[in-house]
Amino acid sequence: MVTSECAPLAKTGGLADAVAGLSRALSLAGHDVRILMPHYASFDTNSSPYTTFPDGSGLRLCSDTLDGAELFLHHVPAFDSIDTIYTGDNRDAARFVALSFAAAWFGHAAKWQPDVIHCHDWHAALVPDVLQFIANEAVSNAREAADTPPTSPLSSVVPTVLTLHNIGYQGIFASAAIPAPQWTALSRQQLHEESAATVNFLKLGIQHATAITTVSPTYAKEILTPQFGMGLEDEIRKREAELTGILNGVDYATWDPRTDPYLNYHYSDDDSESKQIIRAALCDRLQLSPEPGAPVVGLVSRFAEQKGIDLFIDALPTLLNQTSTAFAILGSGDAELTSRLQLIAESSPSRVAFKAGYDEPLAHQIVAGSDFLIIPSRYEPCGLTQLYSLRYGTIPIVRSTGGLADTVKHFNPETGSGNGCVFNDADANALIWALTTSIEWFGNPNAWQRIKRNAMSEDHAWSKRVNDYTTLYEKAIDATFRIKAGKFVS
Ligand code: ADP
């Protein structure tokens, strides 16, 4: 796995949970998994020096494994002064180009050849190109040295799988942002077909990875269209035959109300008293005092355009007027959304609690202690918080898009089917309708018990996705051998 994030060490969102969860599940199923991630300056980890690469960077091996999956940290001394995971500027380009080269050198250094390299998001999307470049170099060096043709022109190219966790983030940089030696190497791969001035990491990955996945079946279809493709829809359509949508799973070692390490009380489907205690503790902590019989609605999210937080804020004054709901909100990101929410929270402190920032324990407490979790995303590749909330009996209220559409089915009180509330339009009125509908279910004991039972009985364990990924890895390996055989014969 080549990644910019892996929980719990480095996390800004679902990518970290997904990489950790998939790696754990593969390792528990008997696969030999190694994860390569940058060694961020903030790490206070127990890691030992492992090896040094030709560019002076090095690998460190973390002493903790993820259920046997080993975590290697790529240390670049020049980046020691950067105190965040992402900088949002050219230093990101330098960091992740360096990581891609480390991925290519890794096999040699660790004396371990992976069967397949799984690249996550734009940060690792140059890996296929770097592997190809290094293989070509090796071939030409061997030719010069021995004056005999190598057995296969692609003999050291390992198949690659690129997972698109979110194509809203593509890694677009001026080519000058890529340090000179690596740029010279990569430009031999003709990276700048369209414009020598810019490089789009994700686009190159989509063009050159052996196989491509994304994190839900619906998002796999959506990204073929201009509305969701973010300008890459044509490139993705060219690779449609190699594109698969596989839903993310949940790491129930971290997100299960029976064992959640961030909760003082635990519960399972048939014990709701503990949930009430957790809810009361949450309200205490956030100084919320909901009226008797009123629900607590949670929201835990990055504050980005994608997440539809503005729709929620637009709806909030009406929701406060027309219902007696209380809101427990945690989020970090966009400054304008943050200050809009702060204003509302200040004027209704007993009904709206808002914590700005990133807070893992509070995220768990909100997911566990709320009655509903609201996820009004404009687009959502998979979404993890709705999967967590299902297990906690916290009913998700979601917009019908991407993985939210695949995992949340609108409750029907007549048939008793469904596990949440789903609305279609990306506007405040739809959200108001959804919340009002949900409150009706909340007030009806039979309906409420049924929807909670439906939600809590779902199983999205990562172990259930292992077969999908191993089948895909095998196909990628087969495809690579077929290409090699073809080239060799011709
Ligand atoms: P995305 O990756 O787009 O942010 P996901 O739903 O896939 O969305 O994953 C979000 C993850 O990040 C969840 O584990 C959620 O609990 C966590 N998260 C989001 N915002 C915060 C926050 N402010 N504090 C703590 N955890 C957060």
Side-chain angles (χ1 to χ4, degrees), residues 211-284:
I212 303 165
T213 75
T214 186
V215 288
S216 69
T218 294
Y219 193 59
K221 292 193 199 104
E222 286 173 341
I223 58 178
L224 300 169
T225 67
Q227 190 192 344
F228 293 96
M230 305 274 177
L232 291 180
E233 56 277 5
D234 291 343
E235 294 301 328
I236 298 170
R237 269 204 304 272
K238 286 184 208 153
R239 303 289 323 265
E240 197 178 342
E242 289 90 31
L243 172 67
T244 322
I246 305 175
L247 265 181
N248 277 336
V250 174
D251 195 351
Y252 288 124
T254 321
W255 288 97
D256 188 324
R258 279 172 277 222
T259 52
D260 191 320
Y262 296 106
L263 300 180
N264 291 330
Y265 291 84
H266 293 106
Y267 61 96
S268 55
D269 9 10
D270 36 38
D271 172 17
S272 66
E273 254 175 52
S274 295
K275 183 166 170 89
Q276 293 313 314
I277 298 172
I278 295 165
R279 187 185 120 130
L282 175 72
C283 290
D284 245 22

Coordinates of all heavy atoms in Angstrom, one line a residue, residues 211-284:
A211 N -4.9 -1.4 -12.9 CA -6.4 -1.4 -12.6 C -6.7 -0.2 -11.8 O -5.9 0.3 -11.1 CB -6.8 -2.7 -11.9
I212 N -8.0 0.1 -11.8 CA -8.5 1.3 -11.1 C -9.7 0.9 -10.3 O -10.6 0.2 -10.7 CB -8.9 2.4 -12.0 CG1 -7.7 2.8 -12.9 CG2 -9.3 3.7 -11.3 CD1 -8.1 3.6 -14.1
T213 N -9.7 1.4 -9.0 CA -10.9 1.1 -8.2 C -11.4 2.4 -7.6 O -10.6 3.4 -7.5 CB -10.7 0.1 -7.1 OG1 -10.0 0.8 -6.0 CG2 -10.0 -1.1 -7.5
T214 N -12.6 2.5 -7.3 CA -13.1 3.5 -6.4 C -14.0 2.9 -5.3 O -14.2 1.7 -5.3 CB -13.8 4.7 -7.2 OG1 -14.1 5.7 -6.3 CG2 -15.1 4.2 -7.9
V215 N -14.4 3.8 -4.4 CA -14.8 3.2 -3.1 C -16.3 3.0 -3.0 O -16.8 2.7 -1.8 CB -14.3 4.1 -2.0 CG1 -12.8 3.9 -1.9 CG2 -14.6 5.6 -2.2
S216 N -17.1 3.0 -4.1 CA -18.5 2.5 -4.0 C -18.9 2.3 -5.5 O -18.4 3.0 -6.4 CB -19.4 3.5 -3.3 OG -19.6 4.7 -4.1
P217 N -19.9 1.4 -5.7 CA -20.4 1.1 -7.0 C -21.0 2.4 -7.7 O -20.8 2.7 -8.8 CB -21.4 0.0 -6.8 CG -20.9 -0.7 -5.6 CD -20.4 0.4 -4.7
T218 N -21.8 3.1 -6.9 CA -22.4 4.3 -7.4 C -21.4 5.4 -7.9 O -21.5 6.0 -8.9 CB -23.5 4.9 -6.5 OG1 -24.5 3.9 -6.3 CG2 -24.1 6.2 -7.0
Y219 N -20.4 5.6 -7.0 CA -19.4 6.6 -7.4 C -18.7 6.2 -8.6 O -18.3 7.0 -9.5 CB -18.5 6.8 -6.2 CG -17.5 8.1 -6.3 CD1 -18.1 9.3 -6.5 CD2 -16.2 7.9 -6.3 CE1 -17.2 10.5 -6.6 CE2 -15.3 9.0 -6.4 CZ -15.9 10.3 -6.5 OH -15.0 11.4 -6.6
A220 N -18.5 4.9 -8.8 CA -17.8 4.4 -10.0 C -18.6 4.7 -11.3 O -18.0 5.0 -12.3 CB -17.6 2.8 -9.9
K221 N -19.9 4.8 -11.2 CA -20.7 5.2 -12.3 C -20.7 6.8 -12.4 O -20.6 7.3 -13.5 CB -22.1 4.7 -12.2 CG -22.3 3.2 -12.3 CD -23.7 2.9 -12.5 CE -24.0 1.4 -12.1 NZ -24.6 1.2 -10.8
E222 N -20.8 7.4 -11.3 CA -20.9 8.9 -11.3 C -19.7 9.5 -11.9 O -19.8 10.5 -12.7 CB -21.1 9.4 -9.9 CG -22.5 9.2 -9.3 CD -22.6 9.5 -7.8 OE1 -21.5 9.7 -7.1 OE2 -23.7 9.7 -7.3
I223 N -18.5 9.0 -11.7 CA -17.3 9.7 -12.1 C -17.1 9.5 -13.6 O -16.2 10.2 -14.2 CB -16.0 9.2 -11.4 CG1 -15.8 7.7 -11.5 CG2 -16.1 9.7 -9.9 CD1 -14.5 7.2 -10.8
L224 N -18.0 8.8 -14.3 CA -17.9 8.7 -15.8 C -18.6 9.9 -16.4 O -18.5 10.1 -17.6 CB -18.5 7.5 -16.3 CG -17.9 6.1 -15.8 CD1 -18.8 5.0 -16.1 CD2 -16.5 5.9 -16.4
T225 N -19.3 10.7 -15.6 CA -20.1 11.9 -16.1 C -19.4 13.2 -15.7 O -18.7 13.3 -14.8 CB -21.5 11.9 -15.4 OG1 -21.3 12.2 -14.0 CG2 -22.2 10.5 -15.5
P226 N -19.7 14.2 -16.6 CA -19.1 15.5 -16.3 C -19.5 16.1 -14.9 O -18.7 16.8 -14.3 CB -19.6 16.4 -17.4 CG -20.1 15.5 -18.5 CD -20.4 14.2 -17.8
Q227 N -20.7 15.8 -14.4 CA -21.1 16.3 -13.2 C -20.2 15.9 -12.0 O -19.9 16.7 -11.1 CB -22.5 15.9 -12.9 CG -23.1 16.7 -11.7 CD -24.4 16.1 -11.2 OE1 -25.1 15.3 -11.9 NE2 -24.9 16.5 -10.0
F228 N -19.7 14.7 -12.1 CA -18.9 14.2 -10.9 C -17.4 13.9 -11.3 O -16.6 13.6 -10.4 CB -19.5 12.8 -10.4 CG -20.8 13.0 -9.8 CD1 -22.0 12.8 -10.5 CD2 -20.9 13.4 -8.4 CE1 -23.2 12.9 -9.9 CE2 -22.2 13.5 -7.8 CZ -23.3 13.3 -8.5
G229 N -17.1 13.9 -12.6 CA -15.8 13.5 -13.1 C -14.7 14.5 -12.8 O -13.5 14.2 -13.0
M230 N -15.1 15.7 -12.5 CA -14.1 16.8 -12.1 C -13.1 17.0 -13.2 O -11.9 17.1 -13.0 CB -13.4 16.4 -10.8 CG -14.3 16.2 -9.7 SD -14.7 17.7 -8.9 CE -15.8 17.2 -7.6
G231 N -13.5 16.9 -14.5 CA -12.6 17.1 -15.6 C -11.9 15.9 -16.0 O -11.2 15.9 -17.1
L232 N -12.0 14.8 -15.3 CA -11.2 13.6 -15.6 C -12.1 12.5 -16.2 O -11.7 11.4 -16.5 CB -10.5 13.0 -14.4 CG -9.4 13.8 -13.8 CD1 -8.8 13.2 -12.6 CD2 -8.3 14.0 -14.9
E233 N -13.4 12.9 -16.5 CA -14.4 11.8 -16.9 C -14.0 11.2 -18.2 O -14.1 10.0 -18.4 CB -15.8 12.4 -17.0 CG -16.0 13.6 -17.9 CD -15.6 15.0 -17.2 OE1 -15.1 14.9 -16.1 OE2 -15.8 16.0 -17.9
D234 N -13.3 11.9 -19.1 CA -12.9 11.3 -20.4 C -11.8 10.3 -20.2 O -11.8 9.2 -20.8 CB -12.4 12.4 -21.4 CG -13.6 13.3 -21.8 OD1 -14.8 12.9 -21.7 OD2 -13.3 14.4 -22.4
E235 N -10.9 10.7 -19.3 CA -9.8 9.8 -19.0 C -10.3 8.5 -18.4 O -9.9 7.4 -18.6 CB -8.7 10.4 -18.1 CG -8.0 11.6 -18.7 CD -7.2 11.2 -19.9 OE1 -6.8 10.0 -20.0 OE2 -7.1 12.1 -20.8
I236 N -11.3 8.7 -17.5 CA -11.8 7.5 -16.7 C -12.6 6.6 -17.7 O -12.5 5.4 -17.6 CB -12.7 8.0 -15.5 CG1 -11.8 8.8 -14.5 CG2 -13.3 6.8 -14.8 CD1 -12.6 9.5 -13.4
R237 N -13.4 7.3 -18.6 CA -14.1 6.5 -19.5 C -13.2 5.6 -20.4 O -13.6 4.5 -20.7 CB -15.0 7.4 -20.4 CG -16.4 7.6 -19.8 CD -17.5 7.9 -20.8 NE -17.0 9.1 -21.5 CZ -17.3 10.4 -21.1 NH1 -18.0 10.6 -20.1 NH2 -16.9 11.4 -21.8
K238 N -12.0 6.1 -20.7 CA -11.1 5.3 -21.5 C -10.7 4.1 -20.8 O -10.3 3.1 -21.4 CB -9.9 6.1 -21.9 CG -10.1 7.2 -22.9 CD -8.8 7.9 -23.3 CE -9.0 9.3 -23.7 NZ -7.9 10.2 -23.5
R239 N -10.7 4.1 -19.5 CA -10.3 3.0 -18.7 C -11.5 2.3 -18.0 O -11.3 1.5 -17.0 CB -9.3 3.4 -17.6 CG -8.1 4.2 -18.0 CD -7.0 3.3 -18.7 NE -6.8 2.0 -18.2 CZ -5.9 1.6 -17.3 NH1 -5.1 2.5 -16.8 NH2 -5.7 0.3 -17.0
E240 N -12.7 2.5 -18.5 CA -13.9 2.0 -17.9 C -13.8 0.4 -17.6 O -14.3 -0.1 -16.6 CB -15.1 2.3 -18.7 CG -16.4 2.2 -17.9 CD -17.6 2.6 -18.7 OE1 -17.5 3.3 -19.7 OE2 -18.7 2.2 -18.3
A241 N -13.2 -0.3 -18.6 CA -13.1 -1.7 -18.5 C -12.3 -2.2 -17.3 O -12.4 -3.3 -16.8 CB -12.6 -2.3 -19.8
E242 N -11.4 -1.3 -16.9 CA -10.5 -1.7 -15.7 C -11.0 -1.0 -14.4 O -10.2 -1.0 -13.5 CB -9.1 -1.2 -16.0 CG -8.3 -2.1 -17.1 CD -8.5 -1.5 -18.5 OE1 -8.6 -0.2 -18.6 OE2 -8.5 -2.3 -19.4
L243 N -12.1 -0.4 -14.4 CA -12.6 0.3 -13.3 C -13.6 -0.5 -12.5 O -14.6 -1.0 -13.0 CB -13.3 1.7 -13.7 CG -14.0 2.5 -12.6 CD1 -13.0 3.0 -11.6 CD2 -14.8 3.6 -13.3
T244 N -13.4 -0.6 -11.2 CA -14.3 -1.4 -10.3 C -14.7 -0.5 -9.1 O -13.9 0.2 -8.6 CB -13.6 -2.6 -9.7 OG1 -12.8 -3.2 -10.7 CG2 -14.7 -3.6 -9.2
G245 N -15.9 -0.6 -8.7 CA -16.3 0.1 -7.4 C -16.5 -0.9 -6.3 O -17.3 -1.8 -6.4
I246 N -15.7 -0.7 -5.3 CA -15.8 -1.6 -4.1 C -16.0 -0.8 -2.9 O -15.2 0.1 -2.5 CB -14.5 -2.5 -3.9 CG1 -14.1 -3.2 -5.2 CG2 -14.6 -3.4 -2.7 CD1 -12.8 -3.9 -5.1
L247 N -17.1 -1.1 -2.2 CA -17.4 -0.3 -1.0 C -16.4 -0.4 0.1 O -15.8 -1.5 0.3 CB -18.7 -0.8 -0.4 CG -20.0 -0.2 -0.7 CD1 -21.1 -0.9 0.1 CD2 -20.1 1.3 -0.4
N248 N -16.1 0.7 0.7 CA -15.2 0.6 1.9 C -15.9 -0.2 3.0 O -17.1 -0.3 3.1 CB -14.9 2.0 2.4 CG -13.8 2.7 1.7 OD1 -13.0 2.1 1.1 ND2 -13.8 4.1 1.7
G249 N -15.1 -0.7 3.8 CA -15.6 -1.4 5.0 C -15.4 -0.6 6.3 O -15.0 0.6 6.2
V250 N -15.7 -1.2 7.4 CA -15.6 -0.5 8.7 C -14.6 -1.3 9.5 O -14.6 -2.6 9.5 CB -16.9 -0.4 9.4 CG1 -16.7 0.1 10.8 CG2 -17.9 0.4 8.7
D251 N -13.7 -0.6 10.2 CA -12.8 -1.3 11.1 C -13.5 -1.4 12.4 O -13.4 -0.4 13.2 CB -11.5 -0.4 11.2 CG -10.3 -1.2 11.8 OD1 -10.6 -2.3 12.3 OD2 -9.2 -0.7 11.8
Y252 N -14.1 -2.5 12.7 CA -14.9 -2.6 13.9 C -14.1 -2.7 15.1 O -14.6 -2.7 16.3 CB -15.9 -3.7 13.8 CG -17.1 -3.5 12.8 CD1 -17.4 -4.3 11.8 CD2 -17.9 -2.3 13.0 CE1 -18.5 -4.0 10.9 CE2 -19.0 -2.1 12.2 CZ -19.3 -2.9 11.1 OH -20.3 -2.6 10.3
A253 N -12.7 -2.9 14.9 CA -11.9 -2.9 16.1 C -11.9 -1.5 16.7 O -11.6 -1.3 17.9 CB -10.5 -3.3 15.8
T254 N -12.1 -0.5 15.9 CA -12.1 0.9 16.3 C -13.5 1.5 16.5 O -13.7 2.3 17.3 CB -11.3 1.8 15.3 OG1 -10.2 1.1 14.8 CG2 -10.9 3.1 15.9
W255 N -14.4 1.0 15.6 CA -15.7 1.6 15.6 C -16.8 0.6 15.9 O -17.5 0.1 15.0 CB -16.0 2.3 14.2 CG -15.2 3.5 13.9 CD1 -14.0 3.6 13.2 CD2 -15.5 4.9 14.3 NE1 -13.6 4.9 13.2 CE2 -14.5 5.7 13.8 CE3 -16.6 5.4 15.0 CZ2 -14.5 7.1 14.0 CZ3 -16.6 6.8 15.2 CH2 -15.6 7.6 14.7
D256 N -16.9 0.3 17.1 CA -18.0 -0.7 17.5 C -18.5 -0.3 18.9 O -17.6 -0.2 19.8 CB -17.5 -2.1 17.5 CG -18.6 -3.1 17.7 OD1 -19.5 -2.8 18.5 OD2 -18.5 -4.2 17.1
P257 N -19.8 0.0 19.1 CA -20.2 0.4 20.4 C -20.0 -0.6 21.6 O -20.1 -0.3 22.7 CB -21.7 0.7 20.2 CG -22.1 -0.1 19.0 CD -20.9 -0.2 18.2
R258 N -19.7 -1.9 21.2 CA -19.4 -2.9 22.2 C -18.1 -2.7 22.8 O -17.8 -3.1 24.0 CB -19.5 -4.3 21.6 CG -21.0 -4.8 21.5 CD -21.0 -6.1 20.7 NE -21.0 -5.7 19.3 CZ -21.7 -6.4 18.4 NH1 -22.5 -7.4 18.8 NH2 -21.7 -6.0 17.1
T259 N -17.1 -2.1 22.1 CA -15.7 -2.1 22.5 C -15.1 -0.7 22.4 O -13.9 -0.6 22.7 CB -14.9 -3.1 21.7 OG1 -15.2 -2.8 20.3 CG2 -15.3 -4.5 22.0
D260 N -15.8 0.3 21.8 CA -15.2 1.6 21.4 C -14.3 2.1 22.5 O -14.7 2.4 23.6 CB -16.3 2.6 21.1 CG -15.8 3.8 20.5 OD1 -14.7 4.3 20.9 OD2 -16.4 4.3 19.5
P261 N -13.0 2.3 22.3 CA -12.0 2.7 23.3 C -12.3 4.1 23.8 O -11.8 4.5 24.9 CB -10.7 2.6 22.7 CG -10.9 2.6 21.2 CD -12.3 2.0 21.0
Y262 N -13.0 4.9 23.1 CA -13.3 6.3 23.4 C -14.6 6.5 24.3 O -15.0 7.6 24.6 CB -13.4 7.2 22.2 CG -12.1 7.3 21.5 CD1 -11.9 6.6 20.2 CD2 -11.0 8.0 22.0 CE1 -10.7 6.6 19.5 CE2 -9.8 8.0 21.3 CZ -9.7 7.3 20.1 OH -8.5 7.4 19.4
L263 N -15.3 5.4 24.6 CA -16.5 5.4 25.3 C -16.3 4.8 26.7 O -15.7 3.8 26.9 CB -17.6 4.7 24.6 CG -18.0 5.1 23.2 CD1 -19.1 4.3 22.6 CD2 -18.4 6.6 23.2
N264 N -17.0 5.5 27.7 CA -16.9 4.9 29.1 C -18.0 3.8 29.3 O -17.9 3.0 30.2 CB -17.2 6.0 30.1 CG -16.1 7.0 30.1 OD1 -14.9 6.6 29.8 ND2 -16.3 8.2 30.4
Y265 N -19.0 3.8 28.4 CA -20.0 2.8 28.5 C -20.1 2.1 27.1 O -19.9 2.8 26.1 CB -21.4 3.4 28.9 CG -21.4 3.9 30.3 CD1 -21.0 5.2 30.6 CD2 -21.9 3.1 31.3 CE1 -21.0 5.6 31.9 CE2 -21.9 3.5 32.6 CZ -21.5 4.8 32.9 OH -21.5 5.2 34.2
H266 N -20.5 0.9 27.2 CA -20.6 0.1 25.9 C -22.0 -0.5 25.7 O -22.7 -0.7 26.7 CB -19.5 -0.9 25.8 CG -18.2 -0.3 25.7 ND1 -17.3 -0.3 26.8 CD2 -17.6 0.4 24.7 CE1 -16.2 0.4 26.4 NE2 -16.3 0.8 25.2
Y267 N -22.4 -0.7 24.5 CA -23.7 -1.3 24.3 C -23.7 -2.1 23.0 O -22.9 -2.0 22.1 CB -24.8 -0.2 24.3 CG -24.7 0.8 23.2 CD1 -25.4 0.7 22.0 CD2 -23.8 1.9 23.4 CE1 -25.2 1.7 21.0 CE2 -23.7 2.9 22.4 CZ -24.4 2.8 21.2 OH -24.3 3.7 20.2
S268 N -24.7 -3.0 23.0 CA -24.9 -3.8 21.7 C -26.4 -3.6 21.4 O -27.1 -2.8 22.0 CB -24.6 -5.2 21.9 OG -25.3 -5.7 23.0
D269 N -26.9 -4.3 20.4 CA -28.3 -4.0 19.9 C -29.3 -4.1 21.0 O -30.3 -3.3 20.9 CB -28.7 -4.9 18.7 CG -27.7 -6.0 18.5 OD1 -26.8 -6.3 19.3 OD2 -27.9 -6.7 17.5
D270 N -29.2 -5.0 21.9 CA -30.3 -5.1 22.8 C -30.1 -4.3 24.2 O -30.8 -4.6 25.1 CB -30.6 -6.6 23.1 CG -29.4 -7.4 23.2 OD1 -28.4 -6.9 23.7 OD2 -29.4 -8.5 22.7
D271 N -29.2 -3.5 24.2 CA -29.0 -2.7 25.4 C -28.9 -1.2 25.1 O -27.9 -0.7 24.8 CB -27.7 -3.2 26.1 CG -27.3 -2.3 27.3 OD1 -28.2 -1.5 27.8 OD2 -26.1 -2.3 27.7
S272 N -30.0 -0.5 25.2 CA -30.0 0.9 24.8 C -29.8 1.8 26.0 O -29.7 3.0 25.8 CB -31.3 1.2 24.0 OG -32.4 1.1 24.9
E273 N -29.8 1.3 27.2 CA -29.6 2.1 28.4 C -28.2 2.8 28.3 O -28.1 4.0 28.6 CB -29.7 1.3 29.6 CG -31.1 1.6 30.4 CD -31.2 0.7 31.6 OE1 -30.3 0.7 32.4 OE2 -32.3 0.0 31.6
S274 N -27.2 2.0 28.0 CA -25.9 2.6 27.9 C -25.9 3.7 26.9 O -25.2 4.7 27.1 CB -24.9 1.6 27.6 OG -24.8 0.6 28.6
K275 N -26.6 3.6 25.8 CA -26.6 4.6 24.8 C -27.2 5.9 25.3 O -26.7 7.0 25.1 CB -27.4 4.2 23.5 CG -27.3 5.2 22.4 CD -27.8 4.7 21.1 CE -28.0 5.8 20.0 NZ -26.8 6.2 19.3
Q276 N -28.2 5.7 26.2 CA -28.8 6.9 26.8 C -27.8 7.6 27.7 O -27.8 8.8 27.8 CB -30.1 6.5 27.5 CG -31.2 6.1 26.6 CD -31.4 7.0 25.4 OE1 -31.5 8.2 25.6 NE2 -31.5 6.4 24.2
I277 N -27.0 6.8 28.4 CA -26.0 7.4 29.4 C -25.0 8.1 28.6 O -24.5 9.2 28.9 CB -25.4 6.3 30.2 CG1 -26.4 5.6 31.1 CG2 -24.3 6.8 31.1 CD1 -25.9 4.4 31.9
I278 N -24.6 7.5 27.4 CA -23.5 8.2 26.6 C -24.1 9.5 26.0 O -23.5 10.5 25.9 CB -23.1 7.2 25.5 CG1 -22.4 6.0 26.1 CG2 -22.2 8.0 24.5 CD1 -22.2 4.9 25.1
R279 N -25.4 9.4 25.6 CA -26.1 10.6 25.1 C -26.1 11.7 26.2 O -25.8 12.9 25.9 CB -27.5 10.3 24.7 CG -28.2 11.4 24.0 CD -29.7 11.0 23.7 NE -30.6 12.0 24.3 CZ -31.6 12.6 23.7 NH1 -31.8 12.4 22.5 NH2 -32.3 13.5 24.4
A280 N -26.4 11.3 27.4 CA -26.5 12.3 28.5 C -25.1 12.9 28.7 O -25.0 14.2 28.9 CB -27.0 11.7 29.7
A281 N -24.1 12.1 28.7 CA -22.7 12.6 28.9 C -22.3 13.5 27.8 O -21.6 14.5 28.0 CB -21.8 11.4 29.0
L282 N -22.7 13.2 26.6 CA -22.4 14.0 25.4 C -23.0 15.4 25.6 O -22.4 16.5 25.5 CB -22.8 13.4 24.1 CG -22.7 14.2 22.9 CD1 -21.2 14.3 22.5 CD2 -23.5 13.6 21.7
C283 N -24.3 15.4 26.0 CA -25.0 16.7 26.2 C -24.4 17.5 27.3 O -24.2 18.7 27.2 CB -26.5 16.4 26.5 SG -27.4 15.8 25.0
D284 N -24.0 16.8 28.3 CA -23.3 17.4 29.5 C -22.0 18.1 29.0 O -21.8 19.3 29.2 CB -22.9 16.4 30.5 CG -23.6 16.5 31.8 OD1 -24.7 17.2 31.7 OD2 -23.1 16.0 32.8

